[in-house]
Amino acid sequence: MDFNKDTAKKTAELLLQVKAIKLSPQDPFTWASGWKSPIYCDNRITLSYPSVRNFLKEKIAKLVEEKHGKPDAIAGVATGAIAIGVLVAQELGVPFVYVRPEPKKHGRKNQIEGYLESGQNVVVIEDLISTGKSSLEAVKALKEAKATVKGMVAIFSYGFNIATKNFTEHNVELTTLSNYDFLLEQALDSQYISREEMRTLEDWRMAPSEWKQNEEQTP
């Protein structure tokens, strides 16, 4: 994946600055999956900072046009990418829809909310890519609605090999503003982490599902 290095490092800097990304190698987080992780990312925090959300909106919109041309619509993946997706759609002057993880159980039982015509070119917006599974479920729903999915653009990716494999297998082009490598580079440059902590963070990314799983839990 090609990156604009200035944009990638600036994105990482801003995510660290507003604490949308937290690094804690010595006291790891536990994800919902049960994985132990020295990093936690919640990009929704960026919405509370006008200058940061404007930066992300403008850079994502530019990336969408550079990679895919101006789409007929933008689709956000619920719930994390709804707000940033709306901002990007507004910047591009195109319609917006969002995709639920599954159809509603009542009413019209929609999975895609908003108006989308068959055959329209759509670019999907995500806030964060881990394995890519939920993001690709949204792509599947759009394709079943007969949309033409041109690709996906996200704020940040952990850069897991499984995500690369999943997107390749589903023939979906993924582009992100920044990723884990740029994050570590920026964190080290800004002295947010030490070189020893950087090695811990690099080790985690090599085998995230196994990292610290066998250590005894402190009572």
Side-chain angles (χ1 to χ4, degrees):
M1 188 187 303
D2 294 329
F3 286 91
N4 179 308
K5 291 185 179 180
D6 290 340
T7 297
K9 285 202 72 177
K10 184 63 177 179
T11 299
E13 178 187 351
L14 292 172
L15 295 179
L16 287 168
Q17 187 179 96
V18 301
K19 296 182 172 56
I21 287 181
K22 294 182 179 180
L23 299 175
S24 183
Q26 308 307 325
D27 186 18
F29 305 96
T30 302
W31 287 1
S33 61
W35 288 9
K36 297 294 182 183
S37 170
I39 179 173
Y40 191 81
C41 181
D42 181 3
N43 288 330
R44 287 168 292 196
I45 289 172
T46 62
L47 300 169
S48 298
Y49 298 86
S51 63
V52 178
R53 71 175 185 238
N54 284 336
F55 172 87
L56 297 175
K57 170 195 71 176
E58 291 166 6
K59 295 301 182 182
I60 293 173
K62 182 180 179 183
L63 204 49
V64 167
E65 288 201 288
E66 286 176 352
K67 290 289 183 179
H68 308 293
K70 188 171 181 177
D72 298 315
I74 289 291
V77 180
T79 60
I82 292 177
I84 191 65
V86 169
L87 292 171
V88 171
Q90 183 69 20
E91 181 77 2
L92 294 171
V94 300
F96 174 78
V97 300
Y98 71 85
V99 188
R100 297 175 178 275
E102 58 185 26
K104 286 196 299 187
K105 305 295 186 186
H106 58 279
R108 296 167 60 195
K109 300 183 179 179
N110 291 341
Q111 184 168 5
I112 299 171
E113 298 288 2
Y115 179 70
L116 185 65
E117 292 183 10
S118 175
Q120 283 191 311
N121 292 326
V122 177
V123 174
V124 183
I125 303 299
E126 257 291 21
D127 67 325
L128 174 66
I129 303 295
S130 53
T131 65
K133 183 178 177 183
S134 59
S135 307
L136 290 166
E137 285 295 324
V139 170
K140 179 182 176 184
L142 288 162
K143 288 182 174 179
E144 288 175 351
K146 298 187 170 21
T148 300
V149 178
K150 305 298 289 183
M152 184 178 296
V153 179
I155 297 172
F156 184 80
S157 168
Y158 291 118
F160 295 149
N161 290 333
I162 185 64
T164 301
K165 180 174 180 287
N166 286 338
F167 277 91
T168 300
E169 286 181 352
H170 288 81
N171 196 29
V172 176
E173 183 178 357
L174 171 66
T175 313
T176 67
L177 289 186
S178 192
N179 69 2
Y180 195 70
D181 292 329
F182 284 104
L183 176 76
L184 295 190
E185 183 180 339
Q186 178 60 35
L188 187 63
D189 288 350
S190 61
Q191 299 184 329
Y192 189 97
I193 57 172
S194 66
R195 288 199 175 275
E196 183 178 349
E197 288 174 323
M198 185 170 181
R199 284 192 288 272
T200 299
L201 288 156
E202 288 173 333
D203 288 345
W204 169 76
R205 214 266 299 272
M206 295 297 293
S209 63
E210 300 168 15
W211 190 74
K212 290 188 178 294
Q213 289 299 317
N214 296 324
E215 290 188 2
E216 283 189 7
Q217 299 299 307
T218 304

